[in-house]
Amino acid sequence: MSSIIRKISLSVLLAGVVFATNSFAQEVPLLDGVTTRAENNPTVEEGKYKKDAPWVIGMSSFGVNANTWTVQVAHEAQAAADRDKRIAKFVLLDAGFDQKKQVADIEDLIAQKVDAIIVQPVTSTSANASIEKAIAAGIPVVLHTGRIESDAYTTEIQGGAEHFGKVMGDFLVKELGGKGNIWVLRGLAGHPEDTNRYNGLKQSLEGTELKIAAEEHGDWQYDKAKKVCETLYLNDPNVDGIWSSGADMTRACVDVFKQFGTPIPPISGEGNNGFFGQWIADGFKSVSSEYSPAQGAAGIRAAVALLEGKALHKHYDYNPPGWDLEKVKKYYRDDLSANVWWPSELSEEQLKQFYAKQ
């Protein structure tokens, strides 16, 4: 690997940041690939949440240890908070996929009188009432990694889950010529991201002759997905393609096919270093949907912008195109573990601290 790739820096990763198009928001970089929603997108009033530093920012995660991606989101958010010396304290609370715990966590942050709250919802309704309480208390709320059935939050940065799922679905439709049987590996049942990614797949399948032969939840986890794929293979190994909602599940399924010595069918993937290594080594057909864990850092930047008194839009969308093998080769790091996700804003030192191969 070239030394250039090993020295990917924060400045390089942010070089392509998309800025909001309105003049009052042009100085708010959020994340490469993020754009303002074109329609029905009100603006948060300039100066509404302006507050002198130092600040305390709280975050309610739906589950820090859910999988390797959520762990890195926490690292990315903490690193972004540490880089801004105006943030005196960053409080990260883990709901552990418990709706009642998330309610208690957000109310705890309100009681601590934090200056802004970032929420990753457990479900589309789990955080609604607590978010409304935060807003009533004058605390801005930034939402990401899951939509909710309320518009009480201040601003949201949402990875386009339907777009993510459709990138994968379109890949399978093209590779299979619109015909055949596919397995569908979904994420965590009930989580809005799982539901909406699946809706993106269904959009791709409309008007085709592709059939879902099997559909199971692997919870975005390697171990569970491996058991699921082993069971599916033993029941009927004849499958034309696999739609996998997350890279840890993709890695698991690839390993199952290799375990049985069978050719790997076209399978969708995601920006995970372990998956990238598999793809490069085994040369199967795939596409990588992008869903950067640096959304954690973007949430910090949005909170800071609000506390600076800047005007933000209510809705920001993150709909980057899929990656091909050539782009994957530019990011893959054989000196790092399978658990790191791309693109990342972690420094080289942090990448080695958290993800150096043991």
Side-chain angles (χ1 to χ4, degrees), residues 59-71 73-74 92-103 105-106 118-124 126-127 143-148 158 187-194 197 219-221 291 295:
M59 180 173 173
S60 170
S61 168
F62 60 74
V64 171
N65 294 307
N67 52 46
T68 56
W69 186 87
T70 53
V71 170
V73 170
L92 174 60
L93 301 181
D94 182 2
F97 288 108
D98 185 325
Q99 297 184 55
K100 292 181 180 179
K101 176 69 163 52
Q102 180 154 65
V103 170
D105 284 350
I106 296 173
I118 301 163
V119 176
Q120 294 177 286
V122 173
T123 71
S124 61
S126 60
L143 191 71
H144 72 81
T145 322
R147 283 167 281 185
I148 63 172
Q158 295 292 0
L188 186 74
H191 192 281
E193 194 68 23
D194 169 67
R197 288 183 181 186
D219 294 359
W220 294 308
Q221 295 177 353
Y291 201 66
Q295 289 174 81

Side-chain angles (χ1 to χ4, degrees), residues 152-165:
Y153 57 87
T154 309
T155 190
E156 65 172 348
I157 308 164
Q158 295 292 0
E162 289 92 350
H163 170 81
F164 182 100

Side-chain angles (χ1 to χ4, degrees), residues 11-28:
S11 60
V12 172
L13 287 167
L14 292 180
V17 166
V18 176
F19 294 89
T21 53
N22 291 27
S23 59
F24 51 73
Q26 285 180 344
E27 297 181 0
V28 186

